[in-house]
Amino acid sequence: MTNLELKDTRPAGAAPGASEGLTSTRHIAQVIGVLVVSALIMILNETVLSVALPQLMGDFSVSAATVQWLTTGFMLTMAVVIPTTGFLLQRFSTRTLFTAAMILFIAGTALAAAAPASRSCCSPASSRPVARRSSCRC
């Protein structure tokens, strides 16, 4: 049985009832809802990267050409992930992949939250370097 087939859970000899169609319709609506929310999160993720580019340029003192490699890398990653997802969906159940994706997402978010905050090289009040960062050029 593939992931797209619905399992018949009726007792043996039972006639199909109205509640069976409602259950499968409800299941399909839930799956579509999860897909729509996931697509919106992906669009938000791409938008956040685009909005963050000027800030990244300032924080790391790099040119626009250099920081645009982030966008290129992001799109190349998506070009690899999207077909890989189709392959994985044929090999594993949707529930297993969704659970693994959420665990990886939460772990990545926790890792990003635990990372040290990026401070500007120069203090905001003056153009002198912060005392601990003697290698900064302001």
Side-chain angles (χ1 to χ4, degrees):
M1 178 167 56
T2 65
N3 288 343
L4 299 176
E5 296 175 3
L6 294 176
K7 184 177 177 184
D8 188 7
T9 57
R10 292 177 293 165
S19 65
E20 179 185 330
L22 181 63
T23 303
S24 63
T25 304
R26 189 174 298 150
H27 176 72
I28 290 171
Q30 288 173 345
V31 170
I32 290 173
V34 168
L35 290 174
V36 167
V37 169
S38 300
L40 290 174
I41 290 172
M42 185 60 206
I43 291 169
L44 178 65
N45 192 15
E46 292 174 9
T47 304
V48 166
L49 179 62
S50 298
V51 171
L53 290 179
Q55 183 69 35
L56 291 172
M57 289 170 50
D59 286 349
F60 294 110
S61 301
V62 295
S63 67
T66 303
V67 82
Q68 284 175 350
W69 278 103
L70 286 174
T71 305
T72 303
F74 181 78
M75 293 302 165
L76 286 172
T77 302
M78 294 312 301
V80 170
V81 167
I82 290 170
T84 304
T85 302
F87 171 75
L88 291 173
L89 283 170
Q90 291 178 347
R91 304 281 245 146
F92 302 102
S93 71
T94 306
R95 182 180 304 253
T96 302
L97 286 177
F98 184 76
T99 303
M102 288 297 103
I103 289 170
L104 289 172
F105 176 75
I106 291 169
T109 302
L111 184 64
S118 173
R119 300 172 95 198
S120 177
C121 182
C122 297
S123 64
S126 70
S127 62
R128 294 184 343 207
V130 176
R132 288 186 243 177
R133 293 192 170 182
S134 60
S135 63
C136 292
R137 285 177 267 146
C138 299

